[in-house]
Amino acid sequence: MPVLCSSCAEKRAVLKRPKTGHSLCKECFFWAFEEEVHQTIVAAKLFKPGETVGIAASGGKDSTVLAHVMKVLNERYSYGLELMLLSVDEGITGYRDDSLETVKRNQQQYELPLKIVSYEELYGWTMDAIVKQVGLKNNCTFCGVFRRQALDRGAIMLKVDKICTGHNADDVAETVLMNVLRGDIARLRRCTAISTASEGEGVVPRCKPLKYAYEKEIVLYAYFKKLDYFSTECIYSPNAYRGYARTFLKDLESVRPSSIMDIIHSGENLSVREGVKMPVQGTCNRCGYISSQALCKSCVLLEGLNRGLPKLGIGKHHRLHDKILSQQPLTEKEERKLKSVDF
Ligand code: SF4
Ligand code: ZN
């Protein structure tokens, strides 16, 4: 006996929703998924009419679903938003060049303007070149720091009011777990926020409309909608620590699907005891980007790359920032310590 959709009770159910366990037909699933994203947007007041919103687009499933759903909801509920796609080209041959082709097709399919900013034009380094110098252990640190700033710079070039990213519920839960395991209180407090206000000049507010969407449902949505997305993993993806958190989360989800939401809620409800010291946000003395140190992370990493001292931005070398800024030479011992790439 075919199972009927538990929502419309007319059509045949084609899937069991990973988030709720309901058996639904395709149309009712699309509707439920889109409505939940709409509710998230409305409840958190993510956008105002007339705003220009840059959708961070990588060509992957999350950002492709985000672009699609944002376009659908913007029309269905007359959000009054001007949507654009914003992509970062990290310079990873065999990965990003292919996924950017997907973004270019998405641009045509969704008829949205697209801006691509590249690490090479912004920093003078591609990820291919960075990996050659730093190896495969800390490459994601460089990539993550550079991406954050690249998105802001692209957003400013496009004059967008906000950036929305495709972070899903699994990503947020994973980050909560990682920050708990590392005892990173400052990040733990920030990581569940659905939106961030501008933290200073050059920093565009960000939000995560898919914050409560399960990754499994994003995959189902993309599959049943036949969306055009790129599913290959980055060739430089070691990020072992996140990998463990991810595997742990998937194991939890398989015995208790609500674990993902439960972890997010735990993160949202944690409060930091009064008097706990938090980093004070200032600006980078070199590029003006937000930073809690004399130099922002991106400038330190770049300085390290340009000087052939790749370890400069890895670990804590804050006391060297002033030295670098005032162009004082490093001692031989300092240089030696920062040079080795066997980290
Ligand atoms: Fe960059 Fe690492 Fe992501 Fe690859 S896996 S795109 S290197 S952050
Ligand atoms: Zn800087």
Side-chain angles (χ1 to χ4, degrees):
M1 260 273 288
V3 180
L4 278 186
C5 170
S6 66
S7 180
C8 66
E10 281 171 16
K11 291 197 199 107
R12 227 174 123 157
V14 293
L15 58 91
K16 207 173 168 128
R17 270 195 82 179
K19 194 171 177 179
T20 58
H22 294 150
S23 301
L24 295 179
C25 70
K26 231 169 29 178
E27 279 69 29
C28 287
F29 169 65
F30 292 154
W31 185 261
F33 184 90
E34 290 158 4
E35 278 310 289
E36 281 179 17
V37 179
H38 173 59
Q39 290 309 327
T40 306
I41 291 172
V42 173
K45 299 191 179 73
L46 294 188
F47 309 109
K48 286 197 211 82
E51 278 181 337
T52 305
V53 177
I55 302 168
S58 67
K61 60 178 183 350
D62 301 305
S63 60
T64 304
V65 167
L66 177 66
H68 180 86
V69 172
M70 282 297 293
K71 191 170 159 73
V72 166
L73 295 177
N74 193 31
E75 284 163 14
R76 183 183 299 160
Y77 293 106
S78 309
Y79 287 167
L81 303 176
E82 195 174 329
L83 301 176
M84 299 185 173
L85 299 175
L86 175 57
S87 293
V88 176
D89 180 0
E90 298 93 344
I92 303 175
T93 315
Y95 167 65
R96 188 54 85 218
D97 41 2
D98 292 339
S99 64
L100 283 175
E101 289 307 312
T102 313
V103 179
K104 287 179 196 158
R105 288 197 302 276
N106 289 161
Q107 171 194 15
Q108 311 268 311
Q109 291 150 359
Y110 304 146
E111 296 171 320
L112 298 175
L114 164 69
K115 167 91 191 152
I116 303 175
V117 284
S118 74
Y119 284 5
E120 189 160 33
E121 77 185 271
L122 294 178
Y123 308 109
W125 287 82
T126 61
M127 272 313 287
D128 287 339
I130 293 173
V131 167
K132 260 197 200 125
Q133 190 183 118
V134 311
L136 274 173
K137 211 162 164 197
N138 286 298
N139 55 307
C140 292
T141 303
F142 286 82
C143 197
V145 171
F146 286 168
R147 182 180 304 108
R148 173 150 196 240
Q149 227 183 70
L151 271 177
D152 276 325
R153 297 221 211 159
I156 287 167
M157 287 181 211
L158 274 178
K159 297 194 174 58
V160 305
D161 301 299
K162 257 167 212 162
I163 302 173
C164 60
T165 59
H167 290 103
N168 59 41
D170 299 50
D171 296 328
V172 178
E174 218 171 89
T175 310
V176 171
L177 282 176
M178 276 171 61
N179 288 331
V180 168
L181 296 172
R182 284 188 181 132
D184 191 332
I185 305 293
R187 284 213 175 89
L188 184 54
R189 198 162 72 160
R190 284 197 308 253
C191 75
T192 57
I194 187 157
S195 58
T196 56
S198 175
E199 295 161 84
E201 189 126 333
V203 186
V204 180
R206 294 196 181 189
C207 63
K208 306 175 189 139
L210 301 183
K211 181 188 167 189
Y212 297 114
Y214 277 30
E215 183 170 69
K216 279 186 177 168
E217 300 208 346
I218 289 174
V219 174
L220 285 171
Y221 187 90
Y223 172 78
F224 283 115
K225 281 270 179 195
K226 299 194 174 61
L227 299 186
D228 181 3
Y229 69 94
F230 184 80
S231 54
T232 311
E233 272 243 0
C234 172
I235 50 169
Y236 302 138
S237 164
N239 219 330
Y241 203 67
R242 186 172 275 279
Y244 287 127
R246 171 163 288 247
T247 309
F248 178 51
L249 187 71
K250 294 279 173 227
D251 286 349
L252 287 176
E253 187 195 9
S254 68
V255 284
R256 188 177 139 102
S258 70
S259 299
I260 295 174
M261 288 301 266
D262 297 340
I263 293 171
I264 297 178
H265 288 146
S266 303
E268 286 171 339
N269 289 307
L270 279 174
S271 60
V272 180
R273 183 161 36 93
E274 256 181 65
V276 173
K277 254 179 113 186
M278 289 289 174
V280 183
Q281 218 59 283
T283 49
C284 170
N285 288 332
R286 181 170 287 173
C287 73
Y289 196 74
I290 47 155
S291 171
S292 49
Q293 307 295 330
L295 280 172
C296 74
K297 190 87 175 161
S298 179
C299 282
V300 179
L301 290 170
L302 203 53
E303 180 83 17
L305 286 172
N306 291 335
R307 286 201 192 195
L309 305 171
K311 267 177 121 175
L312 193 60
I314 313 287
K316 303 225 181 295
H317 303 289
H318 300 151
R319 55 183 185 80
L320 295 179
H321 291 192
D322 289 329
K323 238 180 169 178
I324 294 164
L325 265 174
S326 54
Q327 295 185 329
Q328 289 172 49
L330 301 180
T331 64
E332 232 177 77
K333 196 173 155 211
E334 283 167 345
E335 288 235 356
R336 216 178 25 248
K337 270 174 82 181
L338 297 172
K339 216 167 229 156
S340 83
V341 286
D342 59 330
F343 39 79

